[in-house]
Amino acid sequence: MMNVDVASNLHEVLGRLPEGVRLVAISKFHPNEYIEAAYKEGQRLFGESHEQELQQKVSSLPKDIEWHFIGHLQTNKVKFIAPYISMIEAVDSMKLLKEINKQALKNDRVIKVLLELHIAEEETKYGLTLDACRQLLEDGEWRQLENVRICGLMMMASNIDDEKQIAKEFDMAADFFDEVKEKYFKADDSFSERSWGMSHDYQIAVQHRSTLVRVGTSIFGPRVY
Ligand SMILES: *Cc1c(COP(=O)(O)O)cnc(C)c1O
């Protein structure tokens, strides 16, 4: 039995998104039943962060669901999701980008990706610092990777209550988006996504130029690990 009203939670979140902002419903650790409840309400875009869990869901849920991989992806796992993944949101190394290109080529498709920035004050191993991201783009090797399409940037703000600080981090990401858009993607319309905002801060994110919010808990309730 579901003890969460997924449908009403979903509509509440959707009702708070301005036009032009899309919702990635983050369903990790939640059973198919929860995803089906959101699907029934028209939601088609979902995000997962573990390859095996995603694989199971893909094989048992409707085929018109669009899946984003939002977690840290090990290079040896890329081949498993390459046949179907719609977007890989958290690319933070050239090594991973090359592997995605290789596996996309094998599957005769182009995989959309976002570059993950590390802006939050917290220590984490993941994400590119702004300088590392500048360097990666300046090196130019990514231009040869014809089976990946860099569609924008993704980041997580610090997990804190200070809304001013959170807003400041989103603004840093948005300014950085403008910088690299101008320098490397000016003529590329597909470089357009700014993925920021989770349950606790998506309402701030949409005021700071987010185009994709990744919301889990506010829709599906707390995760049981
Ligand atoms: C789990 C997760 C989310 C969703 O978090 P909620 O707080 O449940 O909304 C968003 N982004 C990433 C990268 C995540 O891992």
Side-chain angles (χ1 to χ4, degrees), residues 26 28 70 154 156 198-199 214-217 223:
I26 305 301
K28 65 188 185 198
I70 59 156
M154 177 267 203
M156 265 183 276
M198 303 164 51
S199 288
R214 309 178 308 267
V215 179
T217 310
R223 289 177 283 275

Side-chain angles (χ1 to χ4, degrees), residues 119-122 155-160 165-167 169-170 196-198 200-201 214:
I119 285 178
E121 291 182 325
E122 285 136 29
M155 58 82 82
M156 265 183 276
S158 296
N159 186 14
I160 51 173
Q165 177 63 26
I166 293 170
E169 292 173 7
F170 290 150
W196 45 83
M198 303 164 51
H200 72 284
D201 60 14
R214 309 178 308 267

Side-chain angles (χ1 to χ4, degrees), residues 25 27 32 35-36 38-39 43-47 54 57-58 60-68 84-86:
S27 49
N32 282 3
I35 300 173
E36 281 157 353
Y39 182 90
Q43 181 67 24
R44 292 293 180 274
L45 176 54
F46 292 85
L54 173 56
K57 287 174 174 171
V58 166
S60 56
L61 284 161
K63 296 299 166 217
D64 63 340
I65 289 180
E66 190 184 327
W67 296 100
H68 282 198
Y84 61 81
I85 200 75
S86 166

